[in-house]
Amino acid sequence: MVQFRTNGKSFRDICLLVPVQDLFFIDPERIDSSATTLSPLSTTLFQVDDSDDGIWGDYDYSEDDYEDYASDNTTIIDDVFSSSNETDEDQDQDTEEDKLKRFKEGKESLKDLPPDVYCGLVTRLAQRCYEGSILELWEYDWQTIKDLTQRDIIEDLNRAKINPWSRGEADFEQYLGGIKRNESGAIISAEATWVQYFNRVPEGADLVVQGGIGLEFEKSDIDSLNWEEHLIKVTGQLDGVNGTNVVSHTSRSFNDISFEAVYFDIYKMGLGYIIMFFYTVFMLGVGIFSCILGLGAAFGISFLLGFEYNQTHHMLPFIAIGIGIDDVFVIMETWYNVHNSRFRTASLEEKIGRTLQTAGASVTVTSVTDVLAFSLGAFTIMPGLQAFCVSAAICIACVFLLQVSWFVAWLSLDQRRIQQGRHAILPCIKIDATNYDANAEEGEADPWLKKIFSFYTQLVNSRLFQALALVITLSLLGFGIYGSINIQQRFDPSRLLPGGSYLRRWLNFQKEYFPLFGFGAKVYTGELDYLDMAGLNTMNAQMEEIAQPGPNRILRVVESWWPEFKNFLNQHNKTWEEIENQNDFQTELSDFLYSVDYARYQHNFKFDGQLVCGEPAPKILATRDRIWYGMSSSLPPPSEYLPAISRVDDIVDSGNFTQAFAISPIYQAWETDAIIATELGRNLSLALLAVALVSLVFLANFLICMLVMACVLLTLVDLVGALHFWGITIDVLSCINIVMSAGLCVDYSVHLAHAFITASGTRRERVNKALVSLGPAILNGGTTTFLALIVLPFSQSHVFITFFKVFCLTVVFGLFHGLVFLPVSLVLLAPEKKTRETNTSTSVNNEAFQSDFVDVRL
């Protein structure tokens, strides 16, 4: 990226520099990455890794220093590397095997250099950016590359034994995908090539929080992010040129694209809330503002308690409005019932009191249930879910308190306005009494809904309808159980990306052409000494074992300094077992890290002091190795990566180091998958326990309590099962949404159950009265929830699509079990209510009140 500059720095200034394996090489700095556009392959995949190599120390190198030192020691150097009468023409005729042989012999001759001369040279080794590309074969030389023919490229790839860029042994085949070979095994074509760039994040750099959805694949500083932005722009411009696909993947790509998908679709969620708002205003006129106030109070209290805002809090508005509006509909429906009962002429205070006497109890049952369910869910070990559950519990509690106080107070004031005949928008203006009927305005309700539910009660009492309802319930349960058993437990990051995004295409190309190129991880150890060599040998031997081709393969590549350290000792006729003290270990390690072949491994160590050539290495504070997973595909299923990460952890532990661990950004998703099913099951179980306890206390009827629990359980089973058939897996997103749905579906059954208990008459009459009195409110609550979701199917974001599917199913199954299964079950199973002989008690008066107003418009 020769044209790129940020804060006065070029790509070479921010790339990960490694020593060239050649004492006498001077880098001409011909780095022209734009040459990648000349790739004859159909697909080019770019990947950028932001490395934390800065904490391991940088090399200080000056070409002028090198030239000065080399000129002072010309006699010694020429004496060691004198040619055996080979001319340049002879060397040009050498095969790649001859070059490799001479290359190794030249390095072997370095042993004859005096130590001071050798150290003087090796400490000034030239450095080049650590990259991975077939273009290294031509050292990124633009003039050479543009003159290449297809035959030249194929011949160079097949003959290459030495990498001209790093001066080490070559392995360019790893950068090719879709390879085709002839009968002799030589490469004749390839369909894709892989290009890698490695950036360096210096020690002490200001790290940038990338935002997005919070899933970061590497840490980055501002210079690295700017360069990645430049790379994405360049590859986007080259994509499609001459029929070549050019796609990139950087550490910022996932967050940028996933956040953009959510950000540009969030207006659809807002549009849903607006539709819900107007529907509520049309049906009720008031009520939604208490939900908004409760939401704001919940955020404030949560933050005061020390809980941080995370992506799950985006769902809180839906909880506040969804549950809060249900309560408003229940209160207002009860108010209309009271007003149209024999208490029509009673004082405003008495009517408000009788409204809360019935609706207040019903709303309290559902709100306490929801608060307890979310509070119990806060005992999860997942911090994000814990913060959400606490915030949701506080939110529901605040909304409940505002509904039964602030909202009811405004309801009372509004009724006084109506009684005084004042204008709704300009209350200082009185309306002409001849054109105004206060009682008519006070008694506005949903007569058409009550007529529908009045007709529906006749169906509920029909044996045919009852049988049909039970058959449908059992059928849904069967499908729900099957789907719940077979639903996959998997977090797939690619699903958070829009289908046409460049990163989604990159992942598709990777899966097709480089299926074994899995996620990378780093293995860190703490302090090491010579006694830890046995552990290092054990750990690396087992790592290499699981990297061998075969059905049980877990790793594709193990990049460790330990095998190379053993090779270095073997070259000097030694073994690690012969090192018997710390000084010998540190001496050999220093020689190893200052050898031409292995100086690149200096980045793998953090020392307690400066590493000096010719002196024992300082105490090792930490080491780092790299591993790359290579299972059945680049995005393997949990059945593969969960045992794989466990196996790697066991291998790291087998070294018995003071401190050692493997870490990768993808581990946050994989480790979440390991516990998500357990957490979901526990949270739902606790929610059911909350439903049982609260229902039993407030409803005071064991059978009805069990029926309410059955409605909630059936809804959840049907929901999870349907999600399987709708293409949703169990991951963090669906888990949180399902936990939320447990709180919503309680309302659909508890309100009706409470109305049934407080009603009088036979169980059929009580079911009829409960349906007519609160059925419209329950249906309106479900309708408002659905209206908030109505525009989300058109979203490109997996977050909103999952949200829509979960809550659409929650509304459908919740309403079915609350308004169909529960009434039928009450008609068939509920006990008859004992009649009272006296009408003087409060309870009898309440029953009479219920009997009066619930039968209106039957």
Side-chain angles (χ1 to χ4, degrees), residues 2 120 252 257 316 353 407 420 520 633-634 650 769 820 822:
V2 68
R252 69 177 298 156
I257 296 175
L316 271 186
F407 168 70
Q420 295 174 9
S633 70
S634 55
D650 290 341
K769 294 172 182 178
V820 178
L822 181 59

Side-chain angles (χ1 to χ4, degrees), residues 298-314:
F299 276 125
I301 295 173
S302 298
F303 299 154
L304 282 176
L305 293 177
F307 290 99
E308 294 184 356
Y309 184 89
N310 60 63
Q311 303 300 321
T312 61
H313 285 82
H314 294 339

Side-chain angles (χ1 to χ4, degrees), residues 213 215-217 249 253-255 257-259 261 490-499 501 503-504 507 511 519 634-638 641 665-670 673 729 731-733 797-799:
I213 67 164
L215 185 62
E216 298 182 11
F217 285 90
H249 174 204
S253 295
F254 188 85
N255 267 331
I257 296 175
S258 60
F259 178 75
R490 180 180 187 182
F491 174 69
D492 185 353
S494 66
R495 303 185 70 173
L496 296 173
L497 306 172
S501 65
L503 184 54
R504 187 66 175 268
L507 291 171
K511 186 181 297 184
F519 291 98
S634 55
L635 292 173
Y641 62 66
I666 194 60
Y667 278 11
Q668 59 183 309
W670 288 2
D673 272 343
T729 60
D731 56 21
V732 175
L733 290 174
S797 168
H798 177 65
V799 174

Side-chain angles (χ1 to χ4, degrees), residues 606-612 617-619 621:
K606 181 68 174 178
F607 292 104
D608 184 20
Q610 182 69 33
L611 181 67
V612 179
K619 178 182 178 181
L621 298 180

Side-chain angles (χ1 to χ4, degrees), residues 18-25 59-62 65-66 69-70 73 77 81 107 110 113-127 568 590-602 611-615:
V18 293
V20 176
Q21 298 178 44
D22 187 342
L23 278 176
F24 309 103
F25 171 78
Y59 295 96
D60 293 324
Y61 164 68
S62 166
D65 291 343
Y66 171 81
Y69 187 88
N73 295 276
I77 295 171
F81 288 93
K107 288 189 175 183
L110 293 176
L113 284 174
D116 58 332
V117 175
Y118 176 80
C119 284
L121 291 171
V122 79
T123 54
R124 292 169 172 79
L125 281 174
Q127 298 178 83
F568 171 80
S590 177
D591 293 344
F592 164 71
L593 294 177
Y594 273 111
S595 62
V596 175
D597 287 338
Y598 307 115
R600 63 185 185 276
Y601 288 107
Q602 288 188 24
L611 181 67
V612 179
C613 181
E615 298 180 9

